[in-house]
Amino acid sequence: MPETEHDLATMTWEDAGDAFLSADAVVVPTGSTEQHSVHLPLSTDSLRAEHLSAELVEAAPDHDLDLLRAPTLPYGYSEHHMPFPGTITLSQDTYKQALIDVGASLAEHGAERVLFLNCHGGNKQALALAADRLNRDHDIGAHFVHWTDFGRDELEDHFGEGWGHAGDHETSFVELVRDDLVKSDRKEPQEADDLPETRSWTYFSDVTELGGMGDPTNSDPEFMEQVVANTTERILEALAEDIGNGW
């Protein structure tokens, strides 16, 4: 896992106290521990959260931002993946409360803002609700960024449709940062049923036997490296503008 000089985990409490006073925000990376088909590791979302948050805090000074980074939360809401062994999930209520508790702890130590940088779609609802509660009930500004939303246009232009869970996009990223964890001989197109339009599906196994979507054989780690750089810039530009506007 990458370390940066902005990591709370490697600071003493005195160092952390000083850092909170000058930081524009504390980045809390959010991932999951869940199945990612037969070729990617259970840690895929947390690997993304760890590496992409490091990119963010290290590029922040170029946007006149000072960001700290909290340890990555490796568990999220993954109940829809539970039929696949190795998946570990928190309940929605537990996860939401954990996020609120993390933000409230940072507020008590003087952090002005928390930025949840999310890399698992199943976390989005709980994160949005937790950010609302922090903004309303605690002395801290809560910001929520789902990383893929800021890279979506670029990913769709390159991969087309259906590049989601364990597919073209995520396979490209894991090959970029931890190629040793990819079972290249198990990469194959992920056949998935059409999703319902008027109700939610129950489990991922209802729509895909292997556990993924898209076609991981289309992976392109060199392209993904450029997407990471571009998306990092877009997120920082948006954050700097929001902070500049008083949020």
Side-chain angles (χ1 to χ4, degrees), residues 28-40:
V28 177
T30 55
S32 73
T33 299
E34 64 179 33
Q35 71 86 18
H36 276 77
S37 192
V38 294
H39 63 288
L40 292 181

Side-chain angles (χ1 to χ4, degrees), residues 5-233:
E5 62 182 22
H6 311 279
D7 290 352
L8 286 175
T10 57
M11 296 180 182
T12 67
W13 67 263
E14 290 179 314
D15 295 336
D18 291 339
F20 284 133
L21 297 177
S22 60
D24 293 299
V26 181
V27 178
V28 177
T30 55
S32 73
T33 299
E34 64 179 33
Q35 71 86 18
H36 276 77
S37 192
V38 294
H39 63 288
L40 292 181
L42 297 166
S43 61
T44 292
D45 290 338
S46 295
L47 279 172
R48 292 172 57 222
E50 185 79 8
H51 284 266
L52 294 170
S53 61
E55 294 280 341
L56 202 71
V57 300
E58 290 185 330
D62 295 336
H63 294 262
D64 295 321
L65 292 173
D66 180 6
L67 301 180
L68 300 178
R69 186 173 70 143
T72 296
L73 288 172
Y75 303 119
Y77 179 66
S78 301
E79 186 175 356
H80 46 301
H81 292 290
M82 281 302 291
F84 296 92
T87 298
I88 298 173
T89 189
L90 303 178
S91 70
Q92 281 274 24
D93 288 343
T94 297
Y95 186 52
K96 181 182 73 173
Q97 190 58 52
L99 296 165
I100 293 170
D101 288 348
V102 169
S105 296
L106 295 173
E108 187 165 336
H109 298 312
E112 188 172 359
R113 299 175 189 86
V114 58
L115 169 64
F116 294 109
L117 184 71
N118 182 52
C119 292
H120 169 49
N123 294 341
K124 292 173 70 173
Q125 185 176 16
L127 278 159
L129 293 172
D132 281 348
R133 288 268 60 86
L134 287 167
N135 283 324
R136 294 184 176 122
D137 299 342
H138 297 274
D139 188 21
I140 192 169
H143 297 243
F144 165 36
V145 166
H146 185 58
W147 190 93
T148 307
D149 287 344
F150 283 78
R152 190 173 304 280
D153 289 346
E154 210 170 347
L155 292 168
E156 287 183 350
D157 285 344
H158 189 76
F159 292 126
E161 300 293 332
W163 42 263
H165 186 79
D168 321 33
H169 154 227
E170 291 191 318
T171 304
S172 297
F173 186 83
V174 181
E175 287 177 338
L176 175 64
V177 300
R178 284 297 305 272
D179 185 54
D180 59 304
L181 296 179
V182 180
K183 290 190 173 182
S184 298
D185 61 331
R186 300 301 307 278
K187 294 197 307 184
E188 61 179 276
Q190 307 286 295
E191 295 184 7
D193 296 334
D194 292 334
L195 299 179
E197 294 188 36
T198 60
R199 59 153 283 182
S200 61
W201 41 271
T202 306
Y203 294 108
F204 229 70
S205 56
D206 295 337
V207 295
T208 169
E209 181 179 351
L210 293 178
M213 294 182 173
D215 186 353
T217 66
N218 291 331
S219 62
D220 188 343
E222 290 184 2
F223 165 74
M224 199 65 223
E225 186 172 21
Q226 188 58 51
V227 174
V228 169
N230 294 341
T231 303
T232 297
E233 290 299 299

